[in-house]
Amino acid sequence: MATVVADPLAPWREEFPLAKHATHMIAHSLGAMPRRARTRVAEYLDQWDARGIRSWQDAWWMLPLEVGDVLGSVIGAPQGSVTMHPNVTIAQAIVLSAIDFSGKRNRLVCTELDFPSMLYLYEGLADRGARVVRVPSADGLTMDAARIVEAIDEQTAIVAISGVIFKSAALVDLGPVIARARAVGAPVLVDAYQWVGTVPLDVTALGVDYLAGGSVKYLCGGPGAGFLYVRPDLLPTVKPRLTGWIAHPEPFGFDPGPMRYRDDGLRMLNGTPQIPCLYAARAGYEIVSEVGVPAIRAKSMRLTARIVAFAQAEGWTVNSPVEGARRGGSVSLGVPEPERVHRELDRRDVLCDWRPGVGVRLGPHFYNNDDDVERALGEMKDIVDGMRGR
Ligand SMILES: Cc1ncc(COP(=O)(O)O)c(C=O)c1O
């Protein structure tokens, strides 16, 4: 007889209509839309319609900080330390624009497994004097903290690395990296996109200087909302060169410069914020905060362990850490012809994706149930066996 597992998060499935219409296994790429997003976006339209220009003072001017505070409650960030930006690439570009690479301390330490958008951004900093050091991975899937620690020295201007590797969901042990960076006086900027909303994170306990993430994945907040945490004691000293009038203490003075910065988090902004996206994102943040990341993690560990066990029994390569404690919310499976397998899964209404070198990625979330996982694995087995002529 199959064991029935009590699932305290089961009622949340109702909030995500798509989870009932398709087998939604793609929270690592685009989390399902919560009903509340529709309500929040309708509030935005009502506000704009009823109050027009007065919406800025009513509700919109401080929204990048207010929504940042909602997200901050998910990652242990003090009030006022998180601001909202269009995406992670821009959030990181803002931080990096404040770093001086013109002197001897000009090394930017990153890793070859960071998300390519970040690597392109780092590469471009060479024109500003940055010496970009890409730490290699031993196996193309995981990043050993000791290798990063070794690459950090007194000439390091900043360490910019992923906390969870996008291809494999491997967690990076950031403690020693942050300790080493601190010892040589270099700040650390973490890309936490594959982390926030599925694995517990406390930025204060971690002691990280800057941390960026986005909303489309485990936060179920939709596109157009990246966030940036800046350590509160660091904030008043940061002067992004990528800046604008929203960061100025008197934006309606239309002072032609030189630029002066606000004292609060809005100093990290630049031009007019993406207000509608912030309404949508807030819905996802509220829900993740209500569900609680520790509960999400417990369920994710159970569902992803089942995926790993099934894959091992089938002889598929598991291109993610097998040990749950070292893995984030998704599992990458090295089946033959992953692109074709993915296309057929999509045709069968199993939503997932694939990545070169690691295969098909399955990312369940708190709105999934055991049947979703069994269905996704069953369809995948049928497709793979069919290709092998079994
Ligand atoms: C680790 C990681 N960083 C960054 C991104 C994307 O960043 P952006 O918000 O700039 O599109 C992704 C995925 O889309 C990711 O997995």
Side-chain angles (χ1 to χ4, degrees), residues 144-186:
D144 182 4
R147 288 184 171 222
I148 309 173
V149 166
E150 214 173 290
I152 302 170
D153 63 13
E154 278 72 15
Q155 295 193 347
T156 302
I158 190 161
V159 178
I161 49 171
S162 284
V164 178
I165 307 299
F166 80 99
K167 276 189 175 185
S168 61
L171 307 189
V172 179
D173 183 11
L174 292 180
V177 175
I178 292 170
R180 169 69 180 150
R182 179 159 301 161
V184 299

Side-chain angles (χ1 to χ4, degrees), residues 87-89 115 117-118 162 164 166 191 193-194 217:
N87 55 54
V88 177
T89 311
F115 192 75
S117 194
M118 308 307 136
S162 284
V164 178
F166 80 99
D191 175 354
Y193 214 149
Q194 292 289 345
K217 307 177 194 290

